[in-house]
Amino acid sequence: MAVKAMGWAHSFPMSEGVRAGREWTRKRLESLPWAAAEPDTVDAIVLAVSELITNAHIHAHSDAHLVLTWDGDCLHVSVHDEDPTLPRQREAEAGDVSGRGVAIVRKLADEWGMRCQRNGKTVTACFRPAETDNGNHRPDGSD
């Protein structure tokens, strides 16, 4: 079975902020055949990208290196930063202005994970649209 994949990569320096990451991501997603019919999935991906780039900038004090990969089943979002400390979910209090990023990504993504590397860490999230360009449905039967 042949697998066709497409992807994009871009680095977002701390000085550029997360808005550029959201806009860049949304523009890349527009080229995918399912994006117009899946605005909620696109919004979830863009929000996750925003949270992951924010975490790289604020907690890792690092530029964020974003890779988007569409493999026909899952849109993989990977953000690499230069701090090897893995993120941890914490319970934010009602008035807190931060501390929800990991929880948001976990809630939005179909799968997610993180791994330490020699020069930092990468956090990856997978998003499966309800229908792909091949007309495939979600494996769990939900449509």
Short mmCIF file of all heavy atoms in Angstrom, two decimals, residues 9-71:
data_model
loop_
_atom_site.label_atom_id
_atom_site.label_comp_id
_atom_site.label_asym_id
_atom_site.label_seq_id
_atom_site.Cartn_x
_atom_site.Cartn_y
_atom_site.Cartn_z
N ALA A 9 6.89 23.04 6.69
CA ALA A 9 7.66 23.35 7.89
C ALA A 9 7.99 24.84 7.90
O ALA A 9 8.22 25.45 6.83
CB ALA A 9 8.95 22.53 7.92
N HIS A 10 7.99 25.41 9.09
CA HIS A 10 8.31 26.82 9.23
C HIS A 10 8.75 27.07 10.67
O HIS A 10 8.21 26.46 11.60
CB HIS A 10 7.09 27.69 8.91
CG HIS A 10 7.40 29.13 8.76
ND1 HIS A 10 8.03 29.65 7.67
CD2 HIS A 10 7.15 30.19 9.59
CE1 HIS A 10 8.15 30.96 7.81
NE2 HIS A 10 7.63 31.31 8.97
N SER A 11 9.70 27.96 10.85
CA SER A 11 10.14 28.35 12.19
C SER A 11 9.54 29.71 12.54
O SER A 11 9.47 30.61 11.69
CB SER A 11 11.66 28.43 12.25
OG SER A 11 12.21 27.15 12.11
N PHE A 12 9.12 29.82 13.79
CA PHE A 12 8.52 31.06 14.29
C PHE A 12 9.37 31.57 15.44
O PHE A 12 9.34 31.01 16.54
CB PHE A 12 7.07 30.82 14.72
CG PHE A 12 6.20 30.43 13.57
CD1 PHE A 12 5.99 29.11 13.27
CD2 PHE A 12 5.66 31.40 12.74
CE1 PHE A 12 5.22 28.73 12.18
CE2 PHE A 12 4.89 31.04 11.65
CZ PHE A 12 4.67 29.70 11.37
N PRO A 13 10.14 32.64 15.20
CA PRO A 13 10.97 33.19 16.27
C PRO A 13 10.12 33.80 17.36
O PRO A 13 8.98 34.18 17.14
CB PRO A 13 11.81 34.26 15.56
CG PRO A 13 11.27 34.42 14.20
CD PRO A 13 10.28 33.33 13.94
N MET A 14 10.71 33.87 18.54
CA MET A 14 9.98 34.42 19.68
C MET A 14 9.47 35.82 19.38
O MET A 14 8.39 36.20 19.82
CB MET A 14 10.87 34.43 20.92
CG MET A 14 11.14 33.04 21.47
SD MET A 14 12.25 33.04 22.88
CE MET A 14 11.41 34.12 24.01
N SER A 15 10.20 36.58 18.62
CA SER A 15 9.81 37.96 18.32
C SER A 15 8.60 38.05 17.38
O SER A 15 7.96 39.09 17.29
CB SER A 15 10.98 38.70 17.67
OG SER A 15 11.34 38.07 16.45
N GLU A 16 8.29 36.96 16.70
CA GLU A 16 7.21 36.98 15.71
C GLU A 16 5.83 36.74 16.33
O GLU A 16 4.83 37.08 15.75
CB GLU A 16 7.50 35.91 14.65
CG GLU A 16 6.83 36.16 13.34
CD GLU A 16 7.32 35.21 12.28
OE1 GLU A 16 8.54 35.06 12.12
OE2 GLU A 16 6.46 34.59 11.63
N GLY A 17 5.78 36.14 17.51
CA GLY A 17 4.51 35.88 18.15
C GLY A 17 3.78 34.70 17.53
O GLY A 17 4.22 34.11 16.54
N VAL A 18 2.65 34.35 18.11
CA VAL A 18 1.91 33.17 17.66
C VAL A 18 0.91 33.50 16.55
O VAL A 18 0.48 32.59 15.85
CB VAL A 18 1.19 32.46 18.83
CG1 VAL A 18 2.17 31.98 19.85
CG2 VAL A 18 0.15 33.35 19.47
N ARG A 19 0.56 34.75 16.38
CA ARG A 19 -0.39 35.09 15.32
C ARG A 19 0.12 34.63 13.96
O ARG A 19 -0.64 34.08 13.16
CB ARG A 19 -0.65 36.58 15.28
CG ARG A 19 -1.56 36.97 14.09
CD ARG A 19 -1.76 38.44 13.97
NE ARG A 19 -2.72 38.84 14.97
CZ ARG A 19 -3.11 40.08 15.16
NH1 ARG A 19 -2.59 41.05 14.42
NH2 ARG A 19 -4.00 40.38 16.08
N ALA A 20 1.39 34.83 13.69
CA ALA A 20 1.97 34.40 12.41
C ALA A 20 1.84 32.89 12.26
O ALA A 20 1.57 32.40 11.16
CB ALA A 20 3.43 34.82 12.33
N GLY A 21 2.00 32.15 13.34
CA GLY A 21 1.84 30.69 13.29
C GLY A 21 0.42 30.27 12.98
O GLY A 21 0.19 29.34 12.19
N ARG A 22 -0.53 30.95 13.58
CA ARG A 22 -1.94 30.64 13.29
C ARG A 22 -2.27 30.95 11.83
O ARG A 22 -2.89 30.12 11.14
CB ARG A 22 -2.87 31.45 14.20
CG ARG A 22 -2.86 31.02 15.63
CD ARG A 22 -3.98 31.68 16.42
NE ARG A 22 -3.90 33.13 16.42
CZ ARG A 22 -3.33 33.86 17.37
NH1 ARG A 22 -2.76 33.26 18.41
NH2 ARG A 22 -3.32 35.18 17.30
N GLU A 23 -1.86 32.11 11.36
CA GLU A 23 -2.16 32.50 9.98
C GLU A 23 -1.48 31.57 8.98
O GLU A 23 -2.08 31.16 7.99
CB GLU A 23 -1.74 33.96 9.75
CG GLU A 23 -2.60 34.94 10.52
CD GLU A 23 -2.06 36.36 10.50
OE1 GLU A 23 -0.93 36.59 9.98
OE2 GLU A 23 -2.77 37.24 11.03
N TRP A 24 -0.21 31.25 9.23
CA TRP A 24 0.54 30.36 8.35
C TRP A 24 -0.13 28.99 8.29
O TRP A 24 -0.30 28.41 7.22
CB TRP A 24 1.98 30.26 8.84
CG TRP A 24 2.87 29.43 7.98
CD1 TRP A 24 3.59 29.85 6.90
CD2 TRP A 24 3.15 28.04 8.13
NE1 TRP A 24 4.29 28.79 6.37
CE2 TRP A 24 4.04 27.68 7.11
CE3 TRP A 24 2.72 27.06 9.04
CZ2 TRP A 24 4.53 26.38 6.96
CZ3 TRP A 24 3.21 25.77 8.89
CH2 TRP A 24 4.09 25.43 7.87
N THR A 25 -0.53 28.47 9.45
CA THR A 25 -1.17 27.16 9.52
C THR A 25 -2.49 27.16 8.76
O THR A 25 -2.75 26.26 7.95
CB THR A 25 -1.39 26.75 10.98
OG1 THR A 25 -0.11 26.65 11.63
CG2 THR A 25 -2.13 25.42 11.10
N ARG A 26 -3.32 28.14 9.01
CA ARG A 26 -4.61 28.21 8.34
C ARG A 26 -4.43 28.24 6.82
O ARG A 26 -5.14 27.57 6.08
CB ARG A 26 -5.41 29.42 8.82
CG ARG A 26 -6.86 29.38 8.40
CD ARG A 26 -7.70 30.46 9.06
NE ARG A 26 -7.85 30.32 10.49
CZ ARG A 26 -8.70 29.51 11.09
NH1 ARG A 26 -9.49 28.73 10.37
NH2 ARG A 26 -8.78 29.46 12.40
N LYS A 27 -3.45 28.99 6.34
CA LYS A 27 -3.19 29.08 4.90
C LYS A 27 -2.76 27.72 4.34
O LYS A 27 -3.22 27.31 3.27
CB LYS A 27 -2.09 30.12 4.64
CG LYS A 27 -1.85 30.39 3.20
CD LYS A 27 -3.00 31.16 2.61
CE LYS A 27 -2.68 31.56 1.20
NZ LYS A 27 -3.88 31.94 0.47
N ARG A 28 -1.91 26.98 5.05
CA ARG A 28 -1.50 25.64 4.58
C ARG A 28 -2.69 24.69 4.55
O ARG A 28 -2.85 23.91 3.63
CB ARG A 28 -0.41 25.03 5.48
CG ARG A 28 0.84 25.86 5.70
CD ARG A 28 1.75 26.08 4.52
NE ARG A 28 1.54 27.17 3.64
CZ ARG A 28 1.68 28.48 3.89
NH1 ARG A 28 1.95 28.92 5.09
NH2 ARG A 28 1.51 29.37 2.95
N LEU A 29 -3.54 24.75 5.57
CA LEU A 29 -4.67 23.83 5.65
C LEU A 29 -5.68 24.06 4.53
O LEU A 29 -6.36 23.12 4.11
CB LEU A 29 -5.36 23.95 7.02
CG LEU A 29 -4.51 23.52 8.22
CD1 LEU A 29 -5.29 23.76 9.51
CD2 LEU A 29 -4.06 22.08 8.11
N GLU A 30 -5.77 25.29 4.03
CA GLU A 30 -6.70 25.59 2.94
C GLU A 30 -6.44 24.73 1.71
O GLU A 30 -7.33 24.50 0.91
CB GLU A 30 -6.60 27.07 2.55
CG GLU A 30 -7.22 27.99 3.55
CD GLU A 30 -6.98 29.47 3.22
OE1 GLU A 30 -6.33 29.76 2.18
OE2 GLU A 30 -7.44 30.31 4.01
N SER A 31 -5.22 24.23 1.55
CA SER A 31 -4.88 23.44 0.37
C SER A 31 -5.32 21.98 0.48
O SER A 31 -5.26 21.23 -0.49
CB SER A 31 -3.37 23.49 0.11
OG SER A 31 -2.67 22.76 1.11
N LEU A 32 -5.78 21.57 1.65
CA LEU A 32 -6.21 20.19 1.85
C LEU A 32 -7.66 20.02 1.40
O LEU A 32 -8.50 20.87 1.70
CB LEU A 32 -6.03 19.77 3.31
CG LEU A 32 -4.57 19.77 3.77
CD1 LEU A 32 -4.49 19.53 5.27
CD2 LEU A 32 -3.77 18.71 3.01
N PRO A 33 -7.97 18.93 0.72
CA PRO A 33 -9.30 18.77 0.13
C PRO A 33 -10.44 18.71 1.14
O PRO A 33 -11.58 19.01 0.79
CB PRO A 33 -9.19 17.47 -0.67
CG PRO A 33 -7.99 16.78 -0.17
CD PRO A 33 -7.09 17.82 0.41
N TRP A 34 -10.19 18.36 2.36
CA TRP A 34 -11.25 18.24 3.36
C TRP A 34 -11.46 19.51 4.17
O TRP A 34 -12.43 19.64 4.91
CB TRP A 34 -10.98 17.08 4.31
CG TRP A 34 -9.60 17.10 4.92
CD1 TRP A 34 -8.51 16.40 4.47
CD2 TRP A 34 -9.16 17.84 6.06
NE1 TRP A 34 -7.42 16.69 5.27
CE2 TRP A 34 -7.80 17.56 6.25
CE3 TRP A 34 -9.79 18.72 6.93
CZ2 TRP A 34 -7.05 18.11 7.28
CZ3 TRP A 34 -9.06 19.28 7.96
CH2 TRP A 34 -7.69 18.97 8.12
N ALA A 35 -10.56 20.48 4.06
CA ALA A 35 -10.57 21.64 4.97
C ALA A 35 -11.85 22.47 4.89
O ALA A 35 -12.39 22.88 5.92
CB ALA A 35 -9.34 22.51 4.73
N ALA A 36 -12.36 22.72 3.70
CA ALA A 36 -13.55 23.56 3.56
C ALA A 36 -14.77 22.91 4.22
O ALA A 36 -15.61 23.60 4.78
CB ALA A 36 -13.84 23.84 2.08
N ALA A 37 -14.84 21.59 4.18
CA ALA A 37 -15.97 20.87 4.76
C ALA A 37 -15.77 20.59 6.25
O ALA A 37 -16.68 20.09 6.91
CB ALA A 37 -16.19 19.55 4.02
N GLU A 38 -14.60 20.90 6.78
CA GLU A 38 -14.26 20.59 8.18
C GLU A 38 -13.77 21.84 8.93
O GLU A 38 -12.67 21.83 9.49
CB GLU A 38 -13.16 19.53 8.21
CG GLU A 38 -13.53 18.21 7.61
CD GLU A 38 -14.22 17.30 8.60
OE1 GLU A 38 -14.16 17.56 9.82
OE2 GLU A 38 -14.81 16.33 8.14
N PRO A 39 -14.56 22.90 8.98
CA PRO A 39 -14.08 24.12 9.65
C PRO A 39 -13.78 23.92 11.13
O PRO A 39 -12.87 24.56 11.67
CB PRO A 39 -15.20 25.13 9.43
CG PRO A 39 -16.42 24.30 9.17
CD PRO A 39 -15.93 23.06 8.48
N ASP A 40 -14.50 23.02 11.81
CA ASP A 40 -14.21 22.78 13.23
C ASP A 40 -12.86 22.10 13.42
O ASP A 40 -12.12 22.42 14.36
CB ASP A 40 -15.32 21.94 13.87
CG ASP A 40 -16.63 22.70 13.99
OD1 ASP A 40 -16.62 23.95 13.90
OD2 ASP A 40 -17.68 22.04 14.17
N THR A 41 -12.53 21.19 12.52
CA THR A 41 -11.23 20.52 12.60
C THR A 41 -10.11 21.52 12.32
O THR A 41 -9.09 21.54 13.02
CB THR A 41 -11.16 19.33 11.61
OG1 THR A 41 -12.21 18.42 11.91
CG2 THR A 41 -9.82 18.61 11.71
N VAL A 42 -10.31 22.35 11.31
CA VAL A 42 -9.31 23.38 10.99
C VAL A 42 -9.12 24.31 12.19
O VAL A 42 -7.99 24.60 12.59
CB VAL A 42 -9.71 24.17 9.73
CG1 VAL A 42 -8.82 25.40 9.54
CG2 VAL A 42 -9.65 23.27 8.50
N ASP A 43 -10.22 24.75 12.80
CA ASP A 43 -10.12 25.63 13.97
C ASP A 43 -9.40 24.93 15.13
O ASP A 43 -8.60 25.57 15.84
CB ASP A 43 -11.50 26.09 14.42
CG ASP A 43 -12.13 27.10 13.48
OD1 ASP A 43 -11.42 27.66 12.61
OD2 ASP A 43 -13.35 27.33 13.60
N ALA A 44 -9.66 23.65 15.34
CA ALA A 44 -9.00 22.90 16.42
C ALA A 44 -7.50 22.82 16.16
O ALA A 44 -6.69 22.99 17.09
CB ALA A 44 -9.60 21.50 16.54
N ILE A 45 -7.12 22.57 14.92
CA ILE A 45 -5.69 22.50 14.58
C ILE A 45 -5.02 23.85 14.81
O ILE A 45 -3.95 23.92 15.41
CB ILE A 45 -5.52 22.03 13.12
CG1 ILE A 45 -5.98 20.57 12.97
CG2 ILE A 45 -4.07 22.19 12.66
CD1 ILE A 45 -6.17 20.12 11.54
N VAL A 46 -5.65 24.91 14.34
CA VAL A 46 -5.08 26.25 14.49
C VAL A 46 -4.95 26.62 15.97
O VAL A 46 -3.93 27.18 16.39
CB VAL A 46 -5.92 27.29 13.71
CG1 VAL A 46 -5.48 28.71 14.04
CG2 VAL A 46 -5.81 27.03 12.21
N LEU A 47 -5.94 26.27 16.78
CA LEU A 47 -5.86 26.55 18.21
C LEU A 47 -4.73 25.75 18.86
O LEU A 47 -3.97 26.28 19.67
CB LEU A 47 -7.19 26.24 18.91
CG LEU A 47 -7.23 26.45 20.42
CD1 LEU A 47 -6.80 27.86 20.81
CD2 LEU A 47 -8.62 26.14 20.95
N ALA A 48 -4.59 24.48 18.50
CA ALA A 48 -3.50 23.66 19.05
C ALA A 48 -2.14 24.23 18.65
O ALA A 48 -1.23 24.31 19.48
CB ALA A 48 -3.64 22.22 18.59
N VAL A 49 -2.00 24.65 17.40
CA VAL A 49 -0.74 25.27 16.96
C VAL A 49 -0.46 26.50 17.79
O VAL A 49 0.67 26.71 18.26
CB VAL A 49 -0.81 25.61 15.45
CG1 VAL A 49 0.29 26.59 15.05
CG2 VAL A 49 -0.73 24.34 14.62
N SER A 50 -1.46 27.31 18.02
CA SER A 50 -1.30 28.52 18.82
C SER A 50 -0.81 28.19 20.22
O SER A 50 0.12 28.82 20.74
CB SER A 50 -2.64 29.26 18.89
OG SER A 50 -2.53 30.44 19.63
N GLU A 51 -1.42 27.19 20.84
CA GLU A 51 -1.02 26.79 22.20
C GLU A 51 0.41 26.25 22.23
O GLU A 51 1.19 26.56 23.13
CB GLU A 51 -1.99 25.76 22.76
CG GLU A 51 -3.38 26.29 23.02
CD GLU A 51 -3.43 27.38 24.08
OE1 GLU A 51 -2.58 27.40 24.99
OE2 GLU A 51 -4.31 28.25 23.99
N LEU A 52 0.76 25.43 21.24
CA LEU A 52 2.09 24.81 21.24
C LEU A 52 3.19 25.83 20.94
O LEU A 52 4.27 25.79 21.55
CB LEU A 52 2.13 23.66 20.24
CG LEU A 52 1.25 22.46 20.62
CD1 LEU A 52 1.24 21.43 19.50
CD2 LEU A 52 1.69 21.83 21.93
N ILE A 53 2.93 26.77 20.04
CA ILE A 53 3.91 27.82 19.78
C ILE A 53 4.05 28.72 21.01
O ILE A 53 5.16 29.09 21.40
CB ILE A 53 3.54 28.63 18.53
CG1 ILE A 53 3.71 27.77 17.28
CG2 ILE A 53 4.42 29.89 18.42
CD1 ILE A 53 3.25 28.44 15.99
N THR A 54 2.93 29.04 21.65
CA THR A 54 2.97 29.84 22.87
C THR A 54 3.82 29.15 23.93
O THR A 54 4.65 29.79 24.58
CB THR A 54 1.54 30.09 23.41
OG1 THR A 54 0.82 30.85 22.44
CG2 THR A 54 1.57 30.83 24.73
N ASN A 55 3.62 27.86 24.12
CA ASN A 55 4.40 27.12 25.12
C ASN A 55 5.89 27.17 24.79
O ASN A 55 6.73 27.34 25.69
CB ASN A 55 3.93 25.67 25.22
CG ASN A 55 2.64 25.55 25.98
OD1 ASN A 55 2.14 26.51 26.56
ND2 ASN A 55 2.07 24.35 25.96
N ALA A 56 6.24 27.02 23.50
CA ALA A 56 7.65 27.08 23.12
C ALA A 56 8.24 28.45 23.44
O ALA A 56 9.35 28.55 23.98
CB ALA A 56 7.81 26.77 21.63
N HIS A 57 7.50 29.49 23.16
CA HIS A 57 8.00 30.84 23.39
C HIS A 57 8.06 31.19 24.87
O HIS A 57 9.06 31.71 25.35
CB HIS A 57 7.13 31.87 22.67
CG HIS A 57 7.28 31.83 21.18
ND1 HIS A 57 6.50 32.59 20.35
CD2 HIS A 57 8.08 31.12 20.35
CE1 HIS A 57 6.84 32.38 19.09
NE2 HIS A 57 7.78 31.48 19.06
N ILE A 58 6.99 30.88 25.61
CA ILE A 58 6.90 31.33 27.00
C ILE A 58 7.64 30.42 27.97
O ILE A 58 8.39 30.88 28.81
CB ILE A 58 5.42 31.46 27.41
CG1 ILE A 58 4.80 32.51 26.54
CG2 ILE A 58 5.26 31.70 28.90
CD1 ILE A 58 3.68 33.31 27.04
N HIS A 59 7.42 29.12 27.85
CA HIS A 59 8.00 28.19 28.83
C HIS A 59 9.41 27.74 28.45
O HIS A 59 10.26 27.58 29.32
CB HIS A 59 7.09 26.99 29.03
CG HIS A 59 5.74 27.37 29.55
ND1 HIS A 59 5.55 27.93 30.79
CD2 HIS A 59 4.51 27.31 28.98
CE1 HIS A 59 4.26 28.18 30.97
NE2 HIS A 59 3.61 27.82 29.88
N ALA A 60 9.66 27.54 27.16
CA ALA A 60 10.99 27.08 26.73
C ALA A 60 11.90 28.25 26.37
O ALA A 60 13.09 28.05 26.16
CB ALA A 60 10.85 26.15 25.53
N HIS A 61 11.34 29.47 26.28
CA HIS A 61 12.13 30.65 25.89
C HIS A 61 12.89 30.35 24.60
O HIS A 61 14.09 30.57 24.50
CB HIS A 61 13.09 31.07 27.00
CG HIS A 61 12.41 31.25 28.31
ND1 HIS A 61 11.60 32.33 28.59
CD2 HIS A 61 12.37 30.47 29.42
CE1 HIS A 61 11.11 32.21 29.81
NE2 HIS A 61 11.56 31.09 30.33
N SER A 62 12.15 29.81 23.63
CA SER A 62 12.76 29.27 22.41
C SER A 62 11.92 29.65 21.20
O SER A 62 10.72 29.87 21.30
CB SER A 62 12.82 27.74 22.55
OG SER A 62 13.12 27.12 21.33
N ASP A 63 12.59 29.68 20.06
CA ASP A 63 11.85 29.72 18.81
C ASP A 63 11.05 28.43 18.70
O ASP A 63 11.39 27.43 19.33
CB ASP A 63 12.81 29.83 17.62
CG ASP A 63 13.58 31.14 17.60
OD1 ASP A 63 13.16 32.10 18.29
OD2 ASP A 63 14.60 31.20 16.90
N ALA A 64 9.99 28.47 17.91
CA ALA A 64 9.14 27.28 17.71
C ALA A 64 9.30 26.82 16.27
O ALA A 64 9.16 27.61 15.33
CB ALA A 64 7.68 27.63 18.00
N HIS A 65 9.61 25.56 16.09
CA HIS A 65 9.79 24.96 14.78
C HIS A 65 8.60 24.06 14.51
O HIS A 65 8.45 23.01 15.15
CB HIS A 65 11.11 24.20 14.71
CG HIS A 65 12.27 25.04 15.19
ND1 HIS A 65 12.79 26.06 14.44
CD2 HIS A 65 12.94 25.04 16.36
CE1 HIS A 65 13.76 26.64 15.12
NE2 HIS A 65 13.87 26.04 16.29
N LEU A 66 7.72 24.49 13.62
CA LEU A 66 6.45 23.83 13.35
C LEU A 66 6.53 23.00 12.08
O LEU A 66 7.01 23.48 11.05
CB LEU A 66 5.34 24.88 13.22
CG LEU A 66 3.97 24.43 12.74
CD1 LEU A 66 3.34 23.44 13.71
CD2 LEU A 66 3.07 25.64 12.54
N VAL A 67 6.05 21.76 12.16
CA VAL A 67 5.93 20.89 10.99
C VAL A 67 4.49 20.38 10.94
O VAL A 67 3.97 19.87 11.94
CB VAL A 67 6.91 19.70 11.06
CG1 VAL A 67 6.70 18.77 9.87
CG2 VAL A 67 8.35 20.18 11.11
N LEU A 68 3.84 20.55 9.80
CA LEU A 68 2.51 20.01 9.55
C LEU A 68 2.66 18.92 8.51
O LEU A 68 3.29 19.15 7.47
CB LEU A 68 1.56 21.08 9.01
CG LEU A 68 1.35 22.33 9.85
CD1 LEU A 68 0.46 23.32 9.09
CD2 LEU A 68 0.73 21.97 11.19
N THR A 69 2.08 17.75 8.77
CA THR A 69 2.16 16.65 7.81
C THR A 69 0.78 16.02 7.68
O THR A 69 0.16 15.64 8.68
CB THR A 69 3.15 15.56 8.29
OG1 THR A 69 4.39 16.16 8.62
CG2 THR A 69 3.36 14.51 7.22
N TRP A 70 0.30 15.90 6.43
CA TRP A 70 -0.96 15.23 6.14
C TRP A 70 -0.62 13.91 5.47
O TRP A 70 0.03 13.87 4.44
CB TRP A 70 -1.83 16.10 5.24
CG TRP A 70 -3.02 15.38 4.69
CD1 TRP A 70 -3.29 15.09 3.39
CD2 TRP A 70 -4.13 14.84 5.44
NE1 TRP A 70 -4.48 14.42 3.27
CE2 TRP A 70 -5.01 14.25 4.52
CE3 TRP A 70 -4.43 14.79 6.80
CZ2 TRP A 70 -6.19 13.63 4.92
CZ3 TRP A 70 -5.61 14.17 7.18
CH2 TRP A 70 -6.48 13.60 6.26
N ASP A 71 -1.04 12.80 6.09
CA ASP A 71 -0.71 11.48 5.55
C ASP A 71 -1.92 10.76 4.95
O ASP A 71 -1.87 9.57 4.68
CB ASP A 71 -0.05 10.61 6.61
CG ASP A 71 -0.95 10.28 7.79
OD1 ASP A 71 -2.17 10.56 7.73
OD2 ASP A 71 -0.44 9.73 8.79
#
